[in-house]
Amino acid sequence: MTTFSYLLSASYKKLFKEPVMMNFILEGIGVHLKGKWHKLGGWIAHYVIGFALVITYEAIWRYTDVKFGFLSGILFGVVSGLVGIMSWRAIYLTSIHDDVSRRSYYIQLFFGHIIFAIAVVIAFRIFRYDPISKIEPYL
């Protein structure tokens, strides 16, 4: 998803970079990071959210009747994308710079989440991880 956002940013000369956007949010809520933490803060926030999404997908596959696969991955991406758009709409009310194209950002965010969810399915398959197996829960 991050690679997708960075490629679109470069191609369309617009700001779609989630870690940069996260830094705007942090600054907007009064968190002013200094030095190396200024850039790292947005990246950390972005990857923490991504990790939370992976855990959520895995829990849904494991503890519900949703079948693991590309179809459910696409569905998770669509839902995550819509939730992401709603979240960013609320966040835009705080402190996002006016030079950010909201509509374009929402469109790339939606498709970026679908790509992310499909990548989760592919990664689980590459590492032969079955989220539906009856392994004792680790929580």
Side-chain angles (χ1 to χ4, degrees):
M1 179 175 170
T2 306
T3 302
F4 175 71
S5 300
Y6 272 72
L7 288 172
L8 284 180
S9 285
S11 297
Y12 292 99
K13 308 272 190 268
K14 292 185 178 190
L15 179 57
F16 296 137
K17 302 171 183 176
E18 284 86 4
V20 174
M21 302 289 281
M22 291 288 186
N23 278 333
F24 290 159
I25 294 165
L26 292 172
E27 290 171 5
I29 61 173
V31 178
H32 301 284
L33 302 171
K34 306 266 189 238
K36 69 177 180 180
W37 291 105
H38 178 69
K39 284 190 177 183
L40 284 177
W43 281 97
I44 292 168
H46 182 59
Y47 281 110
V48 165
I49 292 168
F51 185 67
L53 283 174
V54 172
I55 290 171
T56 301
Y57 299 167
E58 195 265 348
I60 292 169
W61 281 318
R62 181 175 295 235
Y63 299 113
T64 70
D65 292 330
V66 174
K67 300 224 181 298
F68 171 69
F70 287 106
L71 187 59
S72 61
I74 292 169
L75 178 63
F76 289 173
V78 168
V79 172
S80 298
L82 294 173
V83 170
I85 289 168
M86 289 186 292
S87 300
W88 279 99
R89 285 188 68 151
I91 290 166
Y92 268 123
L93 299 175
T94 62
S95 65
I96 302 298
H97 295 258
D98 290 335
D99 59 341
V100 175
S101 171
R102 294 179 187 192
R103 184 174 184 274
S104 298
Y105 185 71
Y106 296 151
I107 291 168
Q108 76 80 31
L109 187 68
F110 179 78
F111 288 105
H113 277 88
I114 294 171
I115 290 168
F116 174 77
I118 291 170
V120 170
V121 172
I122 291 169
F124 279 12
R125 289 193 173 175
I126 287 171
F127 292 103
R128 300 188 196 298
Y129 177 72
D130 178 10
I132 301 177
S133 67
K134 300 302 178 194
I135 299 172
E136 286 298 314
Y138 50 84
L139 299 175

